[in-house]
Amino acid sequence: MNTEQQYYAHGKLLITGEYSVLDGATAFAIPCRSGQSLTVTKDHSIDGIIWTSWDVNQKSWLKVSFDKQLNIGNSNDTRLSEKLQSILKSATQIQPDFLEKLENCKVDTHLGFDRNWGLGSSSTLISLISQWAQINPYKLLDQTFGGSGYDIACATTNSPILFQIDDRKHLTTSIDFNPSWIKHAHFVYLGQKQVSSKEVKKYSHLDFDKNKLASEISDITQQLVICTDLFQAQKLLQLHESKLSVALGYPSVKSLHFSQINGTFKSLGAWGGDFVLFLGDSSEIEKIKALGFPIIIPWKEMIFNPID
């Protein structure tokens, strides 16, 4: 008789603290309504593993088989299969007993968001495999993709969080966050996906006072999460954008794309690629779409809410 196990991980968005979170800044992040699921079906007619990844449209984008030693058999994408193989092997190094769990398995993953959106197809996978293997997801992250780990924290939380790295420890604090101005907040998709690992590497080579920036970003974060006034929230987001723009040597997202739009725009995550935050009057939404950015999601439709 076949047995089934199911796991789930939320997608993520980093609202404050991009880049600087690596230097100890307190960051503000949210778990997304959409995420990724993993279903494991034990099937003794399968010698090793048959793995299929499905996108939001229920189309398979990765099909690969592994033998009992995690050697790749049939695959429709060598690069992605080798990356998955390395993740699974890392998990078995952390927890050797996991290798036995991998035998006779049919594995299906299902994304609840577009793969190009940058909401965490990789981080949710790390969380899912860690849940399955019963290992520390931060260890698996360190051995695979790297990064701060805020996305790993978001994967299994049900509320907005403050996140900080302190002496290699990942500190997560759940917060209540529902200011009245949030009805004016929207996420605008730029459609220019960035590679976070490359951006992190670039940032690591920049020479400036990163501790000072981390302290300033932490202050902005702490003020933003208790802010109740729209104008003040806009000022804080503008200040954050300005400080990162100077530190990174990148132009602000508003100067690049939205100079004619009234309101505040803030880059999120790896600058210039996926979603940006717009805080302003909803009358500007159609103008933003007319500039060639049709995918605009209200804050409350993006964030996970356990009450919904």
Side-chain angles (χ1 to χ4, degrees), residues 114-195:
D114 190 305
R115 283 177 62 204
N116 295 315
W117 280 8
L119 296 184
S121 54
S122 298
S123 59
T124 52
L125 180 63
I126 293 297
S127 176
L128 292 166
I129 291 175
S130 298
Q131 291 175 52
W132 182 18
Q134 296 182 310
I135 58 176
N136 185 327
Y138 296 109
K139 284 187 178 180
L140 186 57
L141 180 71
D142 286 344
Q143 293 188 19
T144 53
F145 296 104
S148 69
Y150 86 89
D151 43 7
I152 297 301
C154 284
T156 52
T157 189
N158 291 332
S159 67
I161 61 170
L162 295 178
F163 178 87
Q164 185 181 30
I165 302 171
D166 183 18
D167 192 26
R168 297 183 62 82
K169 294 179 182 177
H170 302 86
L171 307 178
T172 303
T173 304
S174 297
I175 61 171
D176 290 325
F177 184 77
N178 189 30
S180 59
W181 54 262
I182 214 65
K183 65 188 176 204
H184 300 289
H186 292 76
F187 296 100
V188 180
Y189 180 58
L190 297 186
Q192 301 168 25
K193 189 171 178 60
Q194 301 293 298
V195 179

Coordinates of all heavy atoms in Angstrom, one line a residue, residues 114-195:
D114 N 4.3 32.2 -10.1 CA 5.1 32.1 -11.3 C 6.6 31.9 -11.0 O 7.1 32.6 -10.1 CB 4.9 33.4 -12.1 CG 5.5 33.3 -13.5 OD1 6.7 33.1 -13.6 OD2 4.7 33.6 -14.5
R115 N 7.3 31.0 -11.6 CA 8.7 30.7 -11.3 C 9.5 32.0 -11.5 O 10.6 32.1 -10.9 CB 9.2 29.7 -12.3 CG 8.8 28.2 -11.9 CD 9.3 27.3 -13.0 NE 10.8 27.3 -13.0 CZ 11.5 26.9 -14.1 NH1 10.9 26.6 -15.2 NH2 12.8 27.0 -14.0
N116 N 9.1 32.9 -12.4 CA 10.0 34.1 -12.6 C 9.8 35.2 -11.6 O 10.4 36.3 -11.7 CB 9.6 34.6 -14.0 CG 10.0 33.6 -15.1 OD1 11.1 33.1 -15.1 ND2 9.1 33.4 -16.1
W117 N 8.8 35.0 -10.7 CA 8.5 36.1 -9.8 C 9.5 36.4 -8.7 O 9.4 37.4 -8.0 CB 7.1 35.9 -9.2 CG 6.0 36.3 -10.2 CD1 6.1 36.6 -11.5 CD2 4.6 36.4 -9.8 NE1 4.9 36.9 -12.0 CE2 3.9 36.7 -11.0 CE3 3.8 36.1 -8.7 CZ2 2.5 36.9 -11.1 CZ3 2.5 36.3 -8.7 CH2 1.8 36.7 -9.9
G118 N 10.4 35.5 -8.4 CA 11.4 35.7 -7.4 C 10.8 35.7 -6.0 O 11.3 36.3 -5.1
L119 N 9.8 34.9 -5.8 CA 9.1 34.8 -4.5 C 9.7 33.6 -3.7 O 9.2 33.4 -2.5 CB 7.6 34.6 -4.6 CG 6.9 35.8 -5.2 CD1 5.4 35.6 -5.2 CD2 7.2 37.1 -4.5
G120 N 10.7 32.9 -4.2 CA 11.3 31.9 -3.4 C 11.2 30.5 -3.9 O 11.0 29.6 -3.0
S121 N 11.3 30.2 -5.1 CA 11.2 28.8 -5.6 C 12.4 28.0 -5.0 O 12.2 26.8 -4.7 CB 11.2 28.7 -7.1 OG 12.3 29.4 -7.7
S122 N 13.5 28.6 -4.8 CA 14.7 27.9 -4.2 C 14.6 27.8 -2.7 O 14.8 26.7 -2.2 CB 16.0 28.7 -4.6 OG 16.2 28.7 -6.0
S123 N 14.2 28.9 -2.1 CA 14.2 28.9 -0.6 C 13.1 27.9 -0.1 O 13.2 27.2 0.9 CB 14.0 30.3 0.0 OG 12.8 30.9 -0.5
T124 N 11.9 27.9 -0.8 CA 10.9 27.0 -0.4 C 11.3 25.6 -0.6 O 10.9 24.7 0.2 CB 9.6 27.3 -1.2 OG1 9.8 27.3 -2.6 CG2 8.9 28.6 -0.8
L125 N 12.1 25.3 -1.7 CA 12.6 24.0 -1.9 C 13.5 23.5 -0.7 O 13.4 22.4 -0.2 CB 13.3 23.9 -3.2 CG 13.9 22.5 -3.6 CD1 12.7 21.4 -3.7 CD2 14.7 22.6 -4.8
I126 N 14.4 24.4 -0.3 CA 15.3 24.1 0.8 C 14.5 23.8 2.1 O 14.8 22.9 2.8 CB 16.2 25.3 1.0 CG1 17.2 25.5 -0.1 CG2 17.0 25.1 2.4 CD1 18.1 24.3 -0.4
S127 N 13.4 24.6 2.3 CA 12.6 24.4 3.5 C 11.9 23.0 3.4 O 11.8 22.3 4.4 CB 11.6 25.5 3.6 OG 10.7 25.3 4.7
L128 N 11.3 22.8 2.2 CA 10.6 21.5 2.0 C 11.4 20.3 2.2 O 11.1 19.3 2.9 CB 9.9 21.5 0.6 CG 8.8 22.5 0.4 CD1 8.5 22.6 -1.1 CD2 7.6 22.2 1.2
I129 N 12.6 20.3 1.6 CA 13.5 19.1 1.8 C 14.0 19.0 3.2 O 14.1 17.9 3.8 CB 14.7 19.3 0.8 CG1 14.2 19.1 -0.7 CG2 15.8 18.2 1.1 CD1 15.2 19.3 -1.7
S130 N 14.2 20.1 3.9 CA 14.6 20.1 5.3 C 13.5 19.6 6.2 O 13.8 18.8 7.1 CB 15.0 21.5 5.7 OG 16.1 22.0 5.0
Q131 N 12.3 19.9 5.9 CA 11.1 19.4 6.6 C 11.1 17.9 6.5 O 10.9 17.1 7.4 CB 9.8 20.0 6.2 CG 9.7 21.5 6.5 CD 8.4 22.1 5.9 OE1 7.3 21.5 6.1 NE2 8.5 23.2 5.2
W132 N 11.2 17.4 5.2 CA 11.2 16.0 4.9 C 12.3 15.2 5.6 O 12.1 14.2 6.2 CB 11.2 15.9 3.4 CG 11.1 14.5 2.9 CD1 10.7 13.3 3.5 CD2 11.5 14.0 1.5 NE1 10.8 12.2 2.7 CE2 11.3 12.6 1.5 CE3 12.0 14.7 0.4 CZ2 11.5 11.9 0.3 CZ3 12.3 14.0 -0.7 CH2 12.0 12.6 -0.8
A133 N 13.5 15.8 5.5 CA 14.7 15.2 6.1 C 14.8 15.4 7.6 O 15.6 14.7 8.3 CB 15.9 15.7 5.4
Q134 N 14.0 16.3 8.2 CA 14.0 16.6 9.6 C 15.4 17.2 10.0 O 16.1 16.7 10.9 CB 13.6 15.5 10.5 CG 12.2 15.0 10.2 CD 11.8 13.9 11.1 OE1 12.4 12.9 11.2 NE2 10.6 14.1 11.8
I135 N 15.9 18.2 9.2 CA 17.2 18.8 9.5 C 17.0 20.3 9.6 O 16.0 20.9 9.2 CB 18.2 18.5 8.3 CG1 17.7 19.0 7.0 CG2 18.5 17.0 8.3 CD1 18.6 18.8 5.8
N136 N 18.1 20.9 10.0 CA 18.1 22.4 10.2 C 18.2 23.0 8.8 O 19.2 22.8 8.1 CB 19.3 22.8 11.0 CG 19.4 24.3 11.3 OD1 18.9 25.1 10.5 ND2 19.9 24.7 12.4
P137 N 17.1 23.8 8.4 CA 17.1 24.3 7.0 C 18.3 25.3 6.8 O 18.7 25.5 5.6 CB 15.8 25.0 6.9 CG 15.4 25.3 8.3 CD 15.9 24.2 9.1
Y138 N 18.7 26.0 7.8 CA 19.8 27.0 7.7 C 21.1 26.3 7.3 O 21.9 26.8 6.5 CB 20.0 27.8 8.9 CG 18.8 28.7 9.2 CD1 17.9 28.4 10.3 CD2 18.4 29.8 8.4 CE1 16.8 29.2 10.6 CE2 17.4 30.6 8.7 CZ 16.5 30.3 9.8 OH 15.4 31.1 10.0
K139 N 21.3 25.1 7.9 CA 22.5 24.3 7.5 C 22.4 23.9 6.0 O 23.4 24.0 5.3 CB 22.6 23.1 8.4 CG 23.1 23.3 9.8 CD 23.3 22.0 10.5 CE 23.8 22.2 11.9 NZ 24.1 21.0 12.6
L140 N 21.3 23.5 5.6 CA 21.1 23.1 4.2 C 21.3 24.3 3.3 O 21.9 24.2 2.2 CB 19.8 22.4 4.0 CG 19.5 21.8 2.6 CD1 20.6 20.8 2.3 CD2 18.2 21.2 2.5
L141 N 20.8 25.4 3.7 CA 20.9 26.7 2.9 C 22.4 27.0 2.8 O 22.9 27.3 1.7 CB 20.2 27.8 3.6 CG 20.3 29.2 2.8 CD1 19.5 29.1 1.5 CD2 19.8 30.3 3.7
D142 N 23.2 26.9 3.9 CA 24.6 27.3 3.8 C 25.4 26.4 2.9 O 26.3 26.8 2.2 CB 25.2 27.2 5.2 CG 24.8 28.3 6.2 OD1 24.3 29.3 5.6 OD2 24.9 28.2 7.4
Q143 N 24.9 25.1 2.8 CA 25.7 24.2 1.9 C 25.2 24.2 0.5 O 25.8 23.5 -0.3 CB 25.5 22.8 2.5 CG 26.2 22.6 3.8 CD 26.2 21.1 4.3 OE1 26.0 20.2 3.5 NE2 26.4 20.9 5.6
T144 N 24.2 25.0 0.2 CA 23.7 25.0 -1.2 C 23.6 26.4 -1.8 O 24.6 26.8 -2.4 CB 22.3 24.4 -1.2 OG1 21.4 25.0 -0.2 CG2 22.3 22.9 -0.9
F145 N 22.6 27.2 -1.5 CA 22.4 28.5 -2.2 C 23.1 29.6 -1.4 O 23.5 30.6 -2.0 CB 21.0 28.8 -2.3 CG 20.2 27.9 -3.3 CD1 19.4 26.9 -2.8 CD2 20.4 28.0 -4.6 CE1 18.7 26.1 -3.6 CE2 19.7 27.2 -5.5 CZ 18.9 26.2 -5.0
G146 N 23.2 29.5 -0.1 CA 23.8 30.6 0.7 C 22.8 31.7 0.9 O 21.6 31.6 0.4
G147 N 23.2 32.8 1.5 CA 22.3 33.9 1.7 C 22.0 34.1 3.2 O 22.5 33.4 4.1
S148 N 21.2 35.1 3.5 CA 21.0 35.5 4.9 C 20.1 34.5 5.7 O 20.3 34.3 6.8 CB 20.3 36.9 5.0 OG 19.0 36.8 4.5
G149 N 19.1 33.9 5.0 CA 18.2 33.0 5.6 C 16.9 33.5 6.0 O 16.0 32.8 6.5
Y150 N 16.7 34.8 5.7 CA 15.4 35.4 6.0 C 14.3 34.7 5.2 O 13.1 34.5 5.7 CB 15.3 36.9 5.6 CG 14.9 37.2 4.2 CD1 13.6 37.3 3.8 CD2 15.9 37.2 3.2 CE1 13.3 37.5 2.5 CE2 15.6 37.4 1.9 CZ 14.3 37.5 1.5 OH 13.9 37.7 0.2
D151 N 14.6 34.2 4.0 CA 13.6 33.5 3.2 C 13.2 32.1 3.8 O 12.1 31.7 3.7 CB 14.1 33.3 1.8 CG 15.5 32.9 1.7 OD1 16.2 32.6 2.7 OD2 16.1 32.9 0.5
I152 N 14.2 31.5 4.5 CA 14.0 30.3 5.2 C 13.0 30.5 6.4 O 12.2 29.7 6.7 CB 15.3 29.6 5.6 CG1 16.2 29.3 4.4 CG2 15.1 28.4 6.5 CD1 15.6 28.3 3.4
A153 N 13.3 31.6 7.0 CA 12.4 32.0 8.2 C 11.0 32.2 7.7 O 10.0 31.8 8.4 CB 12.9 33.2 8.9
C154 N 10.8 32.9 6.6 CA 9.5 33.2 6.0 C 8.7 31.9 5.6 O 7.5 31.8 5.7 CB 9.6 34.1 4.8 SG 9.9 35.8 5.2
A155 N 9.5 30.9 5.2 CA 8.9 29.7 4.7 C 7.9 29.0 5.7 O 6.9 28.3 5.2 CB 10.0 28.7 4.2
T156 N 8.2 29.1 6.9 CA 7.4 28.3 7.9 C 6.8 29.2 9.0 O 6.4 28.8 10.0 CB 8.3 27.3 8.6 OG1 9.5 27.9 9.1 CG2 8.7 26.2 7.6
T157 N 6.7 30.5 8.7 CA 6.0 31.4 9.6 C 4.7 31.8 9.1 O 4.4 31.7 7.9 CB 6.9 32.7 9.9 OG1 6.3 33.4 11.0 CG2 6.9 33.6 8.7
N158 N 3.8 32.3 9.9 CA 2.4 32.7 9.5 C 2.2 34.2 9.7 O 1.0 34.6 9.7 CB 1.4 31.9 10.3 CG 1.4 30.4 9.9 OD1 1.7 30.1 8.8 ND2 1.0 29.6 10.8
S159 N 3.3 34.9 9.9 CA 3.1 36.4 10.1 C 4.3 37.1 9.7 O 5.4 36.5 9.4 CB 2.9 36.6 11.6 OG 4.1 36.4 12.4
P160 N 4.2 38.4 9.5 CA 5.4 39.2 9.2 C 6.4 39.0 10.3 O 6.1 38.8 11.4 CB 4.9 40.7 9.1 CG 3.4 40.5 8.8 CD 3.0 39.3 9.5
I161 N 7.7 39.2 9.9 CA 8.8 39.0 10.8 C 9.8 40.1 10.8 O 10.0 40.7 9.8 CB 9.5 37.6 10.6 CG1 10.1 37.5 9.2 CG2 8.5 36.5 10.9 CD1 11.0 36.4 9.0
L162 N 10.5 40.2 11.9 CA 11.8 40.9 11.9 C 12.8 39.9 12.0 O 12.7 38.9 12.7 CB 11.9 41.8 13.2 CG 10.9 43.0 13.3 CD1 11.1 43.8 14.5 CD2 11.1 43.9 12.1
F163 N 13.9 40.0 11.2 CA 14.9 39.0 11.0 C 16.3 39.6 11.1 O 16.5 40.7 10.6 CB 14.8 38.3 9.7 CG 15.8 37.3 9.4 CD1 15.6 36.0 9.8 CD2 17.0 37.6 8.7 CE1 16.6 35.0 9.6 CE2 18.0 36.6 8.5 CZ 17.8 35.3 8.9
Q164 N 17.2 39.0 11.9 CA 18.5 39.5 12.1 C 19.5 38.3 12.2 O 19.2 37.3 12.8 CB 18.6 40.4 13.3 CG 19.9 41.1 13.5 CD 20.0 42.0 14.7 OE1 19.3 41.7 15.7 NE2 20.8 43.0 14.7
I165 N 20.7 38.5 11.7 CA 21.8 37.6 11.9 C 22.7 38.2 13.0 O 23.2 39.3 12.8 CB 22.6 37.3 10.6 CG1 21.7 36.8 9.5 CG2 23.7 36.3 10.9 CD1 22.4 36.7 8.2
D166 N 22.9 37.5 14.1 CA 23.7 37.9 15.2 C 24.6 36.8 15.6 O 24.1 35.8 16.1 CB 22.8 38.4 16.3 CG 23.6 39.0 17.5 OD1 24.8 39.4 17.3 OD2 23.1 39.1 18.6
D167 N 25.9 37.0 15.4 CA 26.9 36.0 15.8 C 26.5 34.6 15.2 O 26.5 33.6 15.8 CB 27.0 35.9 17.3 CG 28.2 35.1 17.8 OD1 29.2 35.0 17.0 OD2 28.1 34.5 18.9
R168 N 26.2 34.7 13.9 CA 25.8 33.5 13.1 C 24.5 32.8 13.5 O 24.1 31.8 13.0 CB 27.0 32.4 13.1 CG 28.3 33.0 12.5 CD 29.3 31.9 12.5 NE 28.9 30.7 11.7 CZ 29.1 30.7 10.3 NH1 29.6 31.7 9.7 NH2 28.7 29.6 9.7
K169 N 23.8 33.5 14.4 CA 22.5 33.0 14.8 C 21.4 33.7 14.0 O 21.5 34.9 13.8 CB 22.3 33.2 16.3 CG 23.2 32.3 17.2 CD 22.9 32.6 18.7 CE 23.9 31.8 19.5 NZ 23.7 32.1 21.0
H170 N 20.4 33.0 13.6 CA 19.3 33.6 12.9 C 18.1 33.9 13.9 O 17.5 33.0 14.4 CB 18.8 32.6 11.8 CG 19.8 32.2 10.9 ND1 20.7 31.1 11.1 CD2 20.2 32.7 9.7 CE1 21.5 31.0 10.1 NE2 21.3 31.9 9.2
L171 N 17.9 35.2 14.1 CA 16.9 35.6 15.1 C 15.7 36.1 14.4 O 15.7 37.0 13.5 CB 17.5 36.8 15.9 CG 18.9 36.5 16.6 CD1 19.4 37.8 17.3 CD2 18.8 35.3 17.5
T172 N 14.6 35.5 14.7 CA 13.3 35.8 14.1 C 12.3 36.2 15.1 O 12.1 35.5 16.1 CB 12.8 34.6 13.3 OG1 13.7 34.2 12.4 CG2 11.5 34.9 12.6
T173 N 11.6 37.3 14.9 CA 10.5 37.8 15.8 C 9.3 38.0 15.0 O 9.3 38.8 14.0 CB 10.9 39.1 16.5 OG1 12.2 39.0 17.1 CG2 9.9 39.6 17.4
S174 N 8.2 37.4 15.3 CA 6.9 37.6 14.7 C 6.3 38.9 15.2 O 6.4 39.2 16.3 CB 6.0 36.4 15.0 OG 6.4 35.2 14.5
I175 N 5.7 39.7 14.2 CA 5.1 40.9 14.6 C 3.7 41.1 14.0 O 3.4 40.4 13.0 CB 6.0 42.1 14.1 CG1 6.1 42.1 12.6 CG2 7.3 42.1 14.8 CD1 6.7 43.4 12.1
D176 N 2.9 41.9 14.7 CA 1.6 42.3 14.2 C 1.9 43.5 13.3 O 2.5 44.5 13.7 CB 0.6 42.6 15.3 CG 0.2 41.4 16.1 OD1 0.1 40.4 15.5 OD2 0.1 41.6 17.3
F177 N 1.4 43.4 12.1 CA 1.6 44.6 11.2 C 0.4 44.7 10.3 O 0.2 44.0 9.3 CB 2.9 44.3 10.3 CG 3.2 45.4 9.4 CD1 3.9 46.6 9.9 CD2 2.9 45.4 8.0 CE1 4.2 47.6 9.1 CE2 3.3 46.5 7.2 CZ 3.9 47.6 7.7
N178 N -0.4 45.8 10.6 CA -1.6 46.1 9.8 C -1.9 47.6 9.9 O -3.0 47.9 10.3 CB -2.8 45.2 10.2 CG -3.9 45.3 9.3 OD1 -3.7 45.5 8.1 ND2 -5.1 45.1 9.8
P179 N -1.0 48.4 9.5 CA -1.3 49.9 9.6 C -2.3 50.3 8.6 O -2.5 49.6 7.5 CB 0.1 50.5 9.3 CG 0.8 49.5 8.5 CD 0.4 48.2 9.0
S180 N -3.0 51.4 8.8 CA -4.0 51.8 7.9 C -3.4 52.1 6.5 O -4.1 52.0 5.5 CB -4.7 53.0 8.5 OG -3.8 54.1 8.7
W181 N -2.2 52.6 6.5 CA -1.6 53.0 5.2 C -1.3 51.8 4.3 O -1.0 52.0 3.1 CB -0.4 53.8 5.3 CG 0.7 53.3 6.2 CD1 1.0 53.5 7.5 CD2 1.8 52.3 5.8 NE1 2.1 52.8 8.0 CE2 2.6 52.1 6.9 CE3 2.1 51.7 4.6 CZ2 3.7 51.3 6.9 CZ3 3.2 50.8 4.6 CH2 4.0 50.6 5.7
I182 N -1.4 50.6 4.8 CA -1.1 49.4 4.0 C -2.1 49.2 2.8 O -1.7 48.6 1.8 CB -1.0 48.1 4.8 CG1 0.0 47.2 4.3 CG2 -2.4 47.4 4.9 CD1 1.4 47.7 4.4
K183 N -3.2 49.8 2.9 CA -4.2 49.8 1.8 C -3.7 50.5 0.5 O -4.2 50.4 -0.6 CB -5.5 50.3 2.2 CG -5.5 51.8 2.5 CD -6.9 52.2 3.1 CE -6.8 53.7 3.5 NZ -7.8 54.0 4.5
H184 N -2.6 51.3 0.7 CA -2.0 52.1 -0.4 C -0.8 51.4 -0.9 O -0.1 51.9 -1.8 CB -1.6 53.5 0.1 CG -2.8 54.3 0.6 ND1 -3.8 54.8 -0.2 CD2 -3.1 54.7 1.9 CE1 -4.6 55.5 0.5 NE2 -4.3 55.5 1.7
A185 N -0.5 50.2 -0.4 CA 0.7 49.5 -0.8 C 0.5 48.4 -1.8 O -0.5 47.6 -1.7 CB 1.4 48.9 0.4
H186 N 1.3 48.4 -2.9 CA 1.1 47.4 -4.0 C 2.5 46.9 -4.4 O 3.5 47.7 -4.3 CB 0.5 48.1 -5.2 CG -1.0 48.4 -5.0 ND1 -1.4 49.5 -4.3 CD2 -2.1 47.8 -5.5 CE1 -2.7 49.6 -4.3 NE2 -3.2 48.6 -5.0
F187 N 2.6 45.7 -4.9 CA 3.8 45.2 -5.4 C 3.7 45.2 -6.9 O 2.8 44.6 -7.5 CB 4.0 43.7 -4.9 CG 4.2 43.7 -3.4 CD1 3.1 43.3 -2.6 CD2 5.4 44.0 -2.8 CE1 3.3 43.3 -1.2 CE2 5.6 44.0 -1.4 CZ 4.5 43.6 -0.6
V188 N 4.7 45.8 -7.5 CA 4.8 46.0 -9.0 C 5.9 45.0 -9.5 O 7.0 45.1 -9.1 CB 5.1 47.4 -9.4 CG1 5.1 47.6 -10.9 CG2 4.1 48.4 -8.8
Y189 N 5.5 44.2 -10.5 CA 6.5 43.2 -11.0 C 7.2 43.9 -12.2 O 6.6 44.3 -13.2 CB 5.7 42.0 -11.5 CG 6.6 40.9 -12.1 CD1 7.7 40.4 -11.3 CD2 6.4 40.5 -13.4 CE1 8.5 39.4 -11.9 CE2 7.2 39.5 -13.9 CZ 8.3 39.0 -13.1 OH 9.1 38.0 -13.7
L190 N 8.5 43.9 -12.1 CA 9.4 44.5 -13.2 C 9.7 43.5 -14.3 O 10.0 43.9 -15.4 CB 10.7 45.0 -12.6 CG 10.6 46.1 -11.5 CD1 12.0 46.6 -11.2 CD2 9.7 47.3 -12.0
G191 N 9.7 42.2 -14.0 CA 9.9 41.2 -15.0 C 11.4 41.1 -15.5 O 11.6 40.7 -16.6
Q192 N 12.3 41.5 -14.6 CA 13.7 41.4 -14.9 C 14.4 40.6 -13.8 O 15.2 41.2 -13.0 CB 14.3 42.8 -15.1 CG 13.6 43.6 -16.2 CD 14.0 45.1 -16.2 OE1 15.1 45.4 -15.7 NE2 13.1 45.9 -16.7
K193 N 14.2 39.3 -13.8 CA 14.7 38.5 -12.7 C 16.2 38.6 -12.5 O 17.0 38.6 -13.4 CB 14.3 37.0 -12.9 CG 14.6 36.1 -11.7 CD 14.0 34.7 -11.9 CE 14.3 33.8 -10.8 NZ 13.8 34.3 -9.5
Q194 N 16.6 38.8 -11.2 CA 18.0 38.9 -10.8 C 18.5 37.6 -10.2 O 17.7 36.9 -9.6 CB 18.2 40.1 -9.9 CG 17.8 41.4 -10.4 CD 18.7 41.9 -11.6 OE1 19.9 42.1 -11.4 NE2 18.1 42.0 -12.7
V195 N 19.8 37.4 -10.2 CA 20.4 36.2 -9.5 C 20.9 36.7 -8.2 O 21.9 37.4 -8.1 CB 21.5 35.6 -10.4 CG1 22.1 34.4 -9.7 CG2 21.0 35.2 -11.8

